[in-house]
């Protein structure tokens, strides 16, 4: 899908959002179910996320709204974001290729890293792409795991990021990503 000559793959959450911080403190929290009626999804997070809407600039002066649910625990952050693209046109390249390109851009812009593993998956019959990546954030080794899903004109970005703290973070990221469900594909 193109918005006035620009591929929508350029509109990844981390390309337009730099508010995430991975700082020196962390906390333990109780896992809570979270659902978004407008986003038509549910997920479990180790705490209550902050909700916000960010206007992402698009070519030609347009703005696209990205709806974000973000939980920042210091050394780790959990994010689900979605945005709707205008129009009825289909992407000009296969959806898996499009999501792979968007993932690489998000990883490079957020943790200056590289994708180490990615694969085609699905959530409730919706095509998705799962990935793992490593890089640096503020001079610290960082990890990112996530999934991008695309249905209709909606792109979901589900991300767990944190300092490389080993199995504890990996287990949380796995639990978070496995809990993501799309509740309505329309």
């Amino acid at each position: 899908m193109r918005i006035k000559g620009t591929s929508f793959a350029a509109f990844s959450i981390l390309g337009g959002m730099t508010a995430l911080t991975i700082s020196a403190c962390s906390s333990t929290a109780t896992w809570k179910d979270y659902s978004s009626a407008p986003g038509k999804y549910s997920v479990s997070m180790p705490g209550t996320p902050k909700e916000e809407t960010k206007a992402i600039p698009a070519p030609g002066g347009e703005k696209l709204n990205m709806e974000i649910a973000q939980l920042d625990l210091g050394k780790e952050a959990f994010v689900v974001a979605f945005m709707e693209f205008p129009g009825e046109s289909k992407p000009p390249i296969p959806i898996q290729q499009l999501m792979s390109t968007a993932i690489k851009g998000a990883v490079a812009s957020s943790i200056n890293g590289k994708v180490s593993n990615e694969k085609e998956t699905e959530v409730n019959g919706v095509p998705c792409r799962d990935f793992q990546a490593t890089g640096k954030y503020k001079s610290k080794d960082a990890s990112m795991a996530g999934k991008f899903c695309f249905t209709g004109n909606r792109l979901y970005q589900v991300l767990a990021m944190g300092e490389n703290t080993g199995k504890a973070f990996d287990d949380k990221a796995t639990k978070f990503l496995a809990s993501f469900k799309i509740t309505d594909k329309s």
Side-chain angles (χ1 to χ4, degrees):
M1 170 181 309
R2 292 202 172 270
I3 301 172
K4 293 196 178 176
T6 299
S7 158
F8 91 45
F11 292 98
S12 68
I13 181 174
L14 296 169
M17 182 177 130
T18 57
L20 292 179
T21 58
I22 303 172
S23 59
C25 62
S26 183
S27 64
T28 57
T30 303
W31 284 80
K32 299 178 182 182
D33 291 333
Y34 171 83
S35 62
S36 168
K40 302 176 184 179
Y41 72 86
S42 65
V43 69
S44 184
M45 292 188 188
T48 303
K50 174 185 168 192
E51 298 173 336
E52 65 181 304
T53 301
K54 286 199 173 214
I56 306 298
E62 294 180 72
K63 296 209 183 249
L64 299 176
N65 285 331
M66 180 177 290
E67 304 295 329
I68 304 162
Q70 172 182 312
L71 177 63
D72 185 345
L73 297 175
K75 290 186 178 186
E76 54 203 28
F78 302 86
V79 179
V80 179
F82 73 93
M83 58 193 318
E84 303 259 348
F85 294 92
E88 297 298 321
S89 62
K90 296 295 177 200
I93 60 175
I95 195 66
Q96 288 293 335
Q97 183 181 346
L98 184 75
M99 288 188 289
S100 181
T101 300
I103 287 167
K104 287 174 179 68
V107 169
S109 68
S110 63
I111 61 171
N112 194 28
K114 295 197 185 265
V115 175
S116 58
N117 183 23
E118 66 180 299
K119 64 182 176 180
E120 291 183 25
T121 60
E122 66 176 47
V123 171
N124 305 83
V126 172
C128 299
R129 190 158 194 92
D130 290 8
F131 72 95
Q132 295 171 328
T134 56
K136 296 273 188 189
Y137 184 82
K138 294 186 178 180
S139 302
K140 295 185 182 201
D141 289 339
S143 295
M144 177 187 283
K147 70 173 67 237
F148 281 32
C149 302
F150 188 80
T151 182
N153 284 352
R154 185 178 306 125
L155 175 67
Y156 293 98
Q157 299 175 58
V158 186
L159 305 166
M161 297 172 285
E163 289 182 17
N164 284 348
T165 56
K167 185 169 173 23
F169 173 73
D170 293 345
D171 289 348
K172 286 181 196 174
T174 298
K175 181 175 181 175
F176 168 69
L177 293 169
S179 74
F180 178 74
K181 302 289 183 251
I182 296 170
T183 56
D184 184 350
K185 295 184 265 187
S186 62

